Amino acid sequence: MDTTRSTHPAGRPYVSAMALALEEARACLATGDVPVGAVVLDAQGRVVATGRNEREATQDPTAHAEVLALRAAAAVTGDWHLDRHTLVVTLEPCPMCAGAILAARVPRIVFGAWDPKAGASGSVYDIARDRRLPHRSEVVAGVLEAECAALLDDFFAERR
């Protein structure tokens, strides 16, 4: 596992964006979706788009927060090439989302909580930085990690 944490200077500029991603994640609780939120920032750090898990709400297996945020950002910018953007997400991206992030050419992924079961940005897999692939992303992990993990832990504890 990559050990970069929120105390690392690279994570500091993303705290406010992660707080917004957490707001998106909390909104998932109303639909019973796993509480994951995402924010896309432009090169100046301005919010371009947001997304949250909507698999339960829409019965769409691809409606992960990252995918929806990327789709919204492409619609706002008029370009699927998001090569000057940063994706901030409350949970380490899964393999599907890591693939979508690379397909959109996003150069930086910032996430909060690690996903020890399906993470694809440094834990179980490292698709985001796999040198065999034509595109890679920088990964900044552990931004507001405790808050992101607690939201997920509480969600799953209620379902057990």
Side-chain angles (χ1 to χ4, degrees):
M1 232 187 266
D2 185 314
T3 58
T4 306
R5 296 289 187 232
S6 56
T7 54
H8 190 278
R12 285 193 195 114
Y14 303 107
V15 170
S16 62
M18 187 63 75
L20 180 56
L22 276 163
E23 287 179 33
E24 288 291 322
R26 287 184 194 99
C28 294
L29 299 174
T31 60
D33 279 287
V34 176
V36 177
V39 174
V40 177
L41 305 173
D42 68 11
Q44 290 72 43
R46 295 179 300 233
V47 175
V48 174
T50 62
R52 68 178 73 115
N53 275 357
E54 294 183 6
R55 291 188 312 166
E56 297 298 328
T58 62
Q59 294 302 301
D60 177 355
T62 68
H64 287 207
E66 301 95 324
V67 170
L68 297 178
L70 292 172
R71 286 177 185 162
V76 166
T77 64
D79 192 353
W80 65 267
H81 296 89
L82 299 174
D83 55 358
R84 293 190 175 102
H85 294 76
T86 296
L87 178 76
V88 179
V89 61
T90 58
L91 180 64
E92 179 184 5
C94 72
M96 177 186 71
C97 292
I101 293 163
L102 295 181
R105 314 292 199 267
V106 175
R108 182 176 303 108
I109 303 165
V110 177
F111 70 83
W114 291 95
D115 184 348
K117 293 183 181 179
S121 297
S123 61
V124 180
Y125 307 102
D126 202 357
I127 293 169
R129 297 179 288 196
D130 191 323
R131 295 246 171 242
R132 296 169 294 183
L133 297 173
H135 303 284
R136 284 164 295 287
S137 296
E138 172 190 4
V139 174
V140 178
V143 176
L144 298 183
E145 181 176 6
E147 294 91 329
C148 294
L151 183 60
L152 290 159
D153 290 346
D154 291 348
F155 174 81
F156 288 112
E158 289 178 13
R159 279 151 182 75
R160 290 187 187 114

